[in-house]
C-alpha cells in the first residue's frame, strides 16, 4: 500500500524510489551552507596558488610547458 505525497509525514522527505530520508531542518541546512562557504576558499587557494606553481616548476623540466599542461588539466576538470 503506497501513500501519496499529501499523506506523508511532515518530518520525512520522500524520494521517487520509495526510500524515506529524514527531512533536514533549516538550522541544519544553514550550518551545512556556512561550513561549505568557509571551507571552499581553502581548496581554491591550495589548487590555484600553491599546487599549480609547484606542478609547473617541480614536475616539469620546462616551466612554460608545465603551465601549459596545468592549464589543459584545469580546463578539462
Amino acid at each position: 500500500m503506497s501513500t501519496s505525497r499529501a499523506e506523508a509525514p511532515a518530518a520525512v522527505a520522500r524520494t521517487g524510489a520509495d526510500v524515506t530520508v529524514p527531512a533536514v531542518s533549516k538550522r541544519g541546512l544553514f550550518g551545512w551552507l556556512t561550513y561549505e562557504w568557509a571551507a571552499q576558499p581553502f581548496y581554491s587557494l591550495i589548487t590555484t596558488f600553491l599546487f599549480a606553481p609547484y606542478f609547473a616548476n617541480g614536475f616539469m623540466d620546462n616551466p612554460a610547458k608545465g603551465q601549459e599542461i596545468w592549464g589543459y588539466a584545469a580546463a578539462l576538470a
Side-chain angles (χ1 to χ4, degrees):
M1 177 176 202
S2 66
T3 60
S4 68
R5 290 191 181 267
E7 298 172 359
V12 175
R14 296 186 55 91
T15 63
D18 277 343
V19 176
T20 57
V21 179
V24 178
S25 67
K26 288 186 179 185
R27 184 177 178 190
L29 182 61
F30 180 74
W32 177 79
L33 287 172
T34 55
Y35 169 78
E36 285 295 317
W37 177 78
Q40 182 57 38
F42 173 78
Y43 297 110
S44 296
L45 289 172
I46 295 296
T47 304
T48 304
F49 297 112
L50 294 178
F51 188 72
Y54 177 70
F55 175 82
N57 295 322
F59 287 115
M60 306 302 290
D61 294 334
N62 183 358
K65 184 69 173 174
Q67 289 177 352
E68 178 186 354
I69 293 173
W70 180 259
Y72 287 135
L76 287 173

